[in-house]
Amino acid sequence: MEPPSALLTRAWGITRSLAMYHGIPGRQRRMERFYRQFLGPGDVGFDIGAHVGSRVRAWRRLGVRVIAVEPQPDCLRVLRLLFGRDRNVEILPVAIGAEPGRAKMALSTATPTVSSLSTEWVESMTAQDSFAKVRWDRSVDVDVVTLDGLIEAHGMPAFCKIDVEGFEAEVLQGLSEPVPALSFEYLPMAHDAALTVLGIVEQLGTYRYNYAPVETMRFASEEWLSAAGLIQHLDKIRPLGRSGDVYARLNSRNR
């Protein structure tokens, strides 16, 4: 049995996430407007790293059938509470990786948003000043499936959001065909890792790219960029130290 202090920390971590992702006025409306350019009624959306379901909530309001992938036990409890009765939300208690199997996930009880399957990423983040107070204090073994397996089971997604704290490359290594659109997280302190992820996306198909600073739901560029153009943009914002998300849209002629 966990000590009361550990239970309180877990409760605090989840409450913090709920307040951050569900409690800010206007965020859900902005999210709906933003994702409408990628998703519509009847589409399938993959939410890889669903956490406490902010994207799930917005996508369902757009009429999307959501495949919510989340291996963290506490986050799974929230997802099942919020969406467990929704027939158009499939909640999968697994992680996504390069091949099927099992893996160990490092959990941060107080800050579950940074729990990760990447040992290298956790080690690199501990050296960053912005992560000085973060502790990965426990772990859990999780089942791993691939994006190819997910597509085989649930169909091709119109959009795939990937937010897995340093495990993005492994997620995309389990994908053998281009999806119409996707996103992955960008952290300036993990710039080289983001370029590796971009290279994998480029191998899948001919994409155009844009960038949205963290949770703004606004693109930084008025035009969609080539991979080279995106890299130039990331080089400019890297010194600012602000994270965000890279969005990739498959060229229509390649669909």
Side-chain angles (χ1 to χ4, degrees):
M1 178 179 288
E2 287 186 282
S5 59
L7 292 173
L8 285 173
T9 303
R10 288 173 63 184
W12 160 250
I14 287 297
T15 300
R16 181 174 178 271
S17 289
L18 285 167
M20 184 186 307
Y21 292 106
H22 290 283
I24 297 177
R27 173 171 285 181
Q28 278 292 311
R29 289 193 297 273
R30 291 198 304 273
M31 203 175 287
E32 290 167 32
R33 289 195 297 268
F34 181 80
Y35 282 108
R36 191 172 284 119
Q37 63 193 300
F38 300 111
L39 291 160
D43 284 340
V44 176
F46 285 0
D47 189 353
I48 312 301
H51 197 53
V52 293
S54 61
R55 264 68 177 177
V56 179
R57 180 179 166 194
W59 293 0
R60 283 298 299 128
R61 290 176 68 90
L62 295 175
V64 176
R65 183 164 64 88
V66 184
I67 309 303
V69 177
E70 178 53 60
Q72 294 190 69
D74 289 342
C75 293
L76 280 167
R77 292 186 183 95
V78 172
L79 290 172
R80 287 165 177 156
L81 177 65
L82 295 178
F83 308 107
R85 296 184 179 181
D86 189 332
R87 295 179 180 178
N88 286 303
V89 177
E90 185 81 16
I91 301 168
L92 302 181
V94 300
I96 307 297
E99 56 186 26
R102 295 274 288 175
K104 187 175 294 292
M105 185 175 201
L107 302 179
S108 176
T109 302
T111 51
T113 54
V114 297
S115 297
S116 176
L117 281 95
S118 173
T119 303
E120 292 181 0
W121 186 86
V122 169
E123 290 175 352
S124 67
M125 290 301 106
T126 57
Q128 303 296 324
D129 290 341
S130 58
F131 281 73
K133 296 182 179 180
V134 176
R135 297 290 180 270
W136 288 268
D137 50 355
R138 56 196 180 102
S139 64
V140 62
D141 291 329
V142 299
D143 290 323
V144 179
V145 301
T146 65
L147 278 179
D148 280 343
L150 216 60
I151 291 172
E152 183 178 355
H154 302 283
M156 175 64 71
F159 184 84
C160 178
K161 178 217 113 182
I162 305 170
D163 187 353
V164 290
E165 308 307 316
F167 210 64
E168 290 83 2
E170 287 80 359
V171 168
L172 286 166
Q173 285 167 0
L175 178 65
S176 61
E177 58 181 320
V179 297
L182 60 86
S183 69
F184 61 89
E185 187 179 25
Y186 172 74
L187 296 176
M189 67 280 286
H191 180 80
D192 291 344
L195 297 187
T196 297
V197 175
L198 178 61
I200 297 172
V201 176
E202 280 286 280
Q203 292 175 1
L204 288 169
T206 305
Y207 284 88
R208 303 290 287 181
Y209 302 90
N210 217 318
Y211 178 78
V214 60
E215 297 299 325
T216 59
M217 300 298 132
R218 294 190 183 93
F219 284 134
S221 175
E222 294 182 0
E223 298 180 353
W224 286 79
L225 308 169
S226 65
L230 174 68
I231 292 171
Q232 289 180 350
H233 180 77
L234 296 180
D235 284 337
K236 291 179 181 177
I237 65 172
R238 183 181 182 185
L240 302 177
R242 192 178 186 193
S243 62
D245 294 286
V246 172
Y247 288 81
R249 186 171 65 185
L250 193 66
N251 277 359
S252 58
R253 64 176 178 272
N254 294 308
R255 295 184 186 178

